[in-house]
Amino acid sequence: MNVCLRCGAEPPLVSQICHNCARQTIALASMPANLRMIACKSCFSLKVPGDWLEFNDLDSTVTHFTRNSIDWHKDSKEQNVDIVLNQLDPHRFRLKLDCSGSFQEVSLSTALKSEINVKFQVCQNCSRKAGGYYEAVLQIRSKRKKVLDHAVDYVYNSIDSAPSEIFMTEEGPVRGGFDFQLSSSEKGRSMARELMVKYGGQVTETNKLVGRKDGRDLLRHTFAVRLPDVMVGDYLFLEESVWTVTRIDRRKANLKRLLLPTSNRTVEVESLRNSPILDEPLDTQVVSHRDSEYLLLDPFTFQTVEAISPEGWSNGKVQALRYGNDTYFIWD
């Protein structure tokens, strides 16, 4: 009969020793008593071979480094660790770790202690930001403030969601538009194209030589995005009727006629330059109706107006647009 080679206990056994001896002799995890790590003093990124890993604060950086410094038994499973950090000074942390896991069917636990000395450097991204580094200028131009504001918000959101190596050195309003200095020419090019697809218009790309490095020319790119004055959702007065912009694809705009008879058409965005853009429609109160005959309260003049609903229209929403001295009712 097999027995524990260490204490002579009867099965169950793992690796020819009983469970109790396994807990006493098998080291679930180990860690050096002193560790050293390098972190960015500005953004707390952790330096790893060939790269920097991003973290929100120094505690998170130290915790990640600690987890990756644990030497687990090669056959252990269900590994888990609870870490308690105690910062002794700006450069030194004392660690307490409670490690748990299993070796075959035996549950094991190990308590570890260590200290970490943190050396601070400046990562490449923070160094570039501090030095005013940029590869591209994204210029957004539009004569209409609403279009410009939407485009600027789009760029800000795109930069905020990008990796840390994508950043703005400077940004701000200029005459006729808004400029961004960007750390990446590729990001500048992609955002210029995205703006053109989303809002229409055209993009012009230029570059100039700013130096040489390792035998290669260093170019700084400028992406000039000229946006149209109209955008999707606008209401226009065109050819004695009211239209809405349903889609813009670069230099083409799809329009829908809102007054009866309704229709659709595609035009050059540039042809809409002189078309009046109407204010947002106002909800209209239905005073009374009989079949298709409606009495509506004009929200601009506060007078009642007789109107005929479109064929098949029932209990929808009525809105009103104003151009000049005339009110136009839209039946949704």
Side-chain angles (χ1 to χ4, degrees):
M1 181 178 179
N2 292 331
V3 296
C4 174
L5 296 180
R6 185 170 183 268
C7 69
E10 297 182 354
L13 307 176
V14 293
S15 297
Q16 298 184 313
I17 58 175
C18 67
H19 289 192
N20 187 49
C21 289
R23 294 187 180 97
Q24 296 178 28
T25 59
I26 297 176
L28 174 66
S30 62
M31 173 181 284
N34 291 282
L35 295 167
R36 295 179 180 272
M37 57 171 277
I38 298 176
C40 176
K41 66 179 181 180
S42 296
C43 70
F44 308 114
S45 293
L46 174 66
K47 188 174 185 179
V48 297
D51 201 2
W52 292 81
L53 298 180
E54 301 173 42
F55 295 94
N56 293 327
D57 52 58
L58 185 58
D59 281 2
S60 299
T61 307
V62 174
T63 298
H64 177 85
F65 179 79
T66 301
R67 290 182 183 276
N68 284 271
S69 299
I70 301 173
D71 184 16
W72 294 93
H73 191 288
K74 64 177 183 178
D75 295 322
S76 64
K77 299 180 180 179
E78 300 175 355
Q79 299 166 351
N80 185 55
V81 59
D82 292 326
I83 301 173
V84 178
L85 302 180
N86 180 21
Q87 187 168 7
L88 304 178
D89 58 49
H91 295 267
R92 194 157 55 106
F93 285 81
R94 181 167 293 162
L95 314 173
K96 291 183 178 181
L97 296 81
D98 289 326
C99 303
S100 60
S102 63
F103 175 78
Q104 297 183 19
E105 67 267 30
V106 181
S107 297
L108 301 178
S109 63
T110 300
L112 302 175
K113 293 182 180 181
S114 182
E115 285 193 6
I116 291 182
N117 289 289
V118 183
K119 181 180 179 181
F120 290 106
Q121 294 181 359
V122 179
C123 70
Q124 184 182 57
N125 291 335
C126 291
S127 177
R128 285 181 168 183
K129 288 179 183 179
Y133 176 88
Y134 67 100
E135 294 181 0
V137 178
L138 178 63
Q139 299 175 338
I140 305 176
R141 301 292 184 265
S142 179
K143 295 179 181 179
R144 187 177 172 202
K145 185 177 183 301
K146 181 179 179 180
V147 175
L148 181 63
D149 289 345
H150 274 261
V152 169
D153 286 345
Y154 181 85
V155 174
Y156 273 120
N157 291 334
S158 181
I159 296 298
D160 289 343
S161 61
S164 62
E165 62 266 21
I166 307 298
F167 57 85
M168 297 173 289
T169 303
E170 289 185 10
E171 77 280 353
V174 297
R175 184 176 180 180
F178 205 95
D179 284 0
F180 295 89
Q181 292 181 355
L182 303 176
S183 63
S184 167
S185 58
E186 286 302 315
K187 185 62 174 179
R189 182 178 292 108
S190 67
M191 284 198 296
R193 292 173 178 170
E194 291 167 8
L195 289 170
M196 181 180 64
V197 171
K198 185 176 181 64
Y199 299 101
Q202 58 185 7
V203 175
T204 303
E205 179 179 345
T206 58
N207 59 68
K208 66 177 181 179
L209 182 66
V210 294
R212 290 180 63 83
K213 183 177 181 181
D214 299 330
R216 299 177 58 185
D217 291 341
L218 297 179
L219 301 177
R220 181 165 291 155
H221 298 261
T222 298
F223 304 96
V225 184
R226 188 166 297 278
L227 302 177
D229 296 337
V230 298
M231 59 189 302
V232 172
D234 280 345
Y235 297 91
L236 310 175
F237 193 79
L238 179 66
E239 298 176 355
E240 302 301 317
S241 188
V242 177
W243 301 74
T244 184
V245 181
T246 58
R247 182 182 178 186
I248 294 179
D249 187 2
R250 300 189 180 185
R251 300 183 184 182
K252 299 286 187 179
N254 294 348
L255 306 179
K256 178 181 179 181
R257 189 176 189 269
L258 298 180
L259 304 182
L260 297 177
T262 59
S263 61
N264 297 279
R265 63 188 297 188
T266 300
V267 300
E268 293 286 338
V269 172
E270 188 65 20
S271 69
L272 303 175
R273 174 183 295 183
N274 298 320
S275 299
I277 299 175
L278 309 184
D279 290 336
E280 291 296 312
L282 300 180
D283 291 337
T284 300
Q285 180 181 348
V286 176
V287 178
S288 63
H289 74 93
R290 181 178 180 183
D291 298 328
S292 62
E293 299 177 357
Y294 280 76
L295 192 63
L296 307 176
L297 180 64
D298 187 328
F300 297 99
T301 64
F302 299 105
Q303 296 178 352
T304 54
V305 179
E306 294 180 354
I308 303 297
S309 68
E311 183 177 355
W313 186 90
S314 176
N315 297 325
K317 182 168 65 173
V318 184
Q319 293 183 306
L321 292 163
R322 187 76 169 177
Y323 180 65
N325 296 322
D326 297 319
T327 299
Y328 298 88
F329 294 104
I330 309 302
W331 304 80
D332 291 338

